[in-house]
Amino acid sequence: MSSEKVSCLIVGSGPAGYTAAIYASRAGLKPVLYTGGQPGGQLTITTEVDNYPGYPEGVQGPQMMMDFEAQARRFGSDIRYGLATKVDFSDSTIHKVWIDHDHLVEAESVIIATGASAKWLGLESEQRLNGHGVSACAVCDGFFFRNQVVAIVGGGDTACEEASYLSKLCKKVYMIVRREEFRASLIMQERVKSLPNIEILWNTETEEIIGNGEVTGARIRNLKTGESTLLDVTGFFVAIGHQPNTDIFKEYIDMDGAGYIQTIKGSTKTNVEGVFACGDAQDNIYRQAITAAGTGCMAALDAERYLAERGLH
């Protein structure tokens, strides 16, 4: 097994990881960044990004992440392909992270930027049309469906929030709910039920999303009657939750019930000294590229201060 020692290790890429690398490099921390299993994060499966400042004409998600990576490399970030598979944070002075099971990195500071993955329905058509009318983020992509008819799947707070958001942009929103009641908080339920252009389809599941290159409809089935119906929609949103990619840290890092890393208010500090968390791995509310980038900046600054206070930088 090979090993090395570094000052600052960044685990994960995407807006949070790459921004942390930019700031850490400029601070002279000589960061090493491992991209994880999906280099660039969720934005690499996103088509048009229209809401990130600095791109007045919009930008393709993969291109945006290539720009982030290039900027991080420009300042000297050591960006490598590899997946963190095990950690040992029992020693507060040195943090051990294994990459692809056989390479040990001993880091004086660690920035966790592993993100979160959207939960999907598991349909072949859903993955085939992902980024071409299928989306897991209404705030990101709702603008592209202005004055159109769309569907959204889910019955929790996130689904209700996103349905409410879409109702302000779209002509009509079908809300597909597997049960005969919401799981959302009462206030969110009442908000959705009060909106005239949201039609709630109870006891319903999605059989297939229709389209070749773009969404043209969705076939749904009523779980009580067994009847299938075709919805005439041009957009299909999945809002059944996200899963933070934080499992390998659970033994050492404090998390909430869903697995999101808990950070000290106003910072990116975790309960382990020298370990910081940023981006969607610790954000279950906003989950936007710009907020992820902001916390990536915070994590690098927090790591720099931590190392300076201990005479390590």
Side-chain angles (χ1 to χ4, degrees):
M1 179 179 291
S2 59
S3 66
E4 66 180 313
K5 293 185 178 181
V6 304
S7 174
C8 178
L9 174 66
I10 301 170
V11 184
S13 46
Y18 286 141
T19 302
I22 291 167
Y23 275 80
S25 295
R26 287 171 58 86
L29 301 185
K30 298 180 180 178
V32 172
L33 181 151
Y34 279 95
T35 59
Q38 187 179 20
Q42 290 191 82
L43 279 173
T44 58
I45 57 171
T46 301
T47 50
E48 194 77 14
V49 179
D50 236 14
N51 57 1
Y52 197 93
Y55 291 97
E57 303 303 319
V59 62
Q60 296 289 305
Q63 182 60 53
M64 183 181 179
M65 287 301 92
M66 289 170 64
D67 292 345
F68 272 50
E69 179 182 351
Q71 189 171 356
R73 288 188 186 276
R74 174 189 163 203
F75 293 113
S77 299
D78 184 351
I79 297 174
R80 308 173 183 175
Y81 297 102
L83 179 68
T85 51
K86 178 184 174 183
V87 302
D88 182 352
F89 294 159
S90 58
D91 184 342
S92 62
T93 61
I94 196 73
H95 309 92
K96 298 179 180 179
V97 179
W98 283 263
I99 305 297
D100 295 326
H101 302 286
D102 59 6
H103 179 64
L104 171 61
V105 181
E106 295 182 314
E108 292 169 335
S109 64
V110 174
I111 295 175
I112 299 171
T114 48
S117 300
K119 294 179 181 178
W120 298 97
L121 299 173
L123 302 173
E124 179 278 329
S125 53
E126 171 187 54
Q127 296 306 310
R128 176 168 47 84
L129 292 165
N130 191 353
H132 300 278
V134 173
S135 170
C137 180
V139 175
C140 308
D141 300 326
F143 176 82
F144 302 111
F145 300 90
R146 186 179 292 274
N147 298 321
Q148 298 179 41
V149 179
V150 302
I152 184 168
V153 176
D157 277 339
T158 297
C160 287
E161 287 173 10
E162 297 211 339
S164 176
Y165 178 84
L166 289 169
S167 73
K168 298 179 178 68
L169 301 170
C170 302
K171 184 188 303 182
K172 182 168 184 174
V173 179
Y174 291 105
M175 195 167 185
I176 302 168
V177 185
R178 278 187 60 89
R179 305 194 303 178
E180 52 187 281
E181 61 182 4
F182 283 122
R183 292 180 289 103
S185 58
L186 184 60
I187 189 170
M188 289 306 304
Q189 295 184 39
E190 291 174 346
R191 181 186 302 176
V192 166
K193 290 175 181 178
S194 71
L195 295 169
N197 62 337
I198 294 180
E199 181 178 342
I200 304 168
L201 304 173
W202 304 107
N203 300 298
T204 301
E205 69 175 7
T206 304
E207 292 185 318
E208 185 183 7
I209 303 164
I210 310 298
N212 183 18
E214 62 181 16
V215 172
T216 57
R219 188 170 65 247
I220 59 173
R221 183 170 67 92
N222 184 288
L223 295 172
K224 283 193 169 181
T225 67
E227 181 184 359
S228 291
T229 307
L230 186 64
L231 295 180
D232 185 14
V233 297
T234 54
F236 191 92
F237 293 85
V238 181
I240 57 176
H242 287 74
Q243 178 61 49
N245 304 315
T246 57
D247 283 352
I248 64 168
F249 308 110
K250 283 184 176 178
E251 184 177 347
Y252 304 97
I253 302 293
D254 289 344
M255 304 179 186
D256 66 14
Y260 288 92
I261 293 173
Q262 294 183 318
T263 52
I264 296 172
K265 189 175 182 180
S267 78
T268 60
K269 298 176 183 177
T270 69
N271 59 295
V272 176
E273 284 196 6
V275 177
F276 309 89
C278 57
D280 288 7
Q282 55 84 54
D283 175 16
N284 66 346
I285 300 174
Y286 301 104
R287 293 194 296 267
Q288 300 297 300
I290 192 165
T291 52
T295 57
C297 163
M298 292 168 60
L301 296 177
D302 285 343
E304 179 190 9
R305 292 184 185 122
Y306 167 82
L307 294 170
E309 287 169 359
R310 285 152 184 78
L312 301 172
H313 171 61

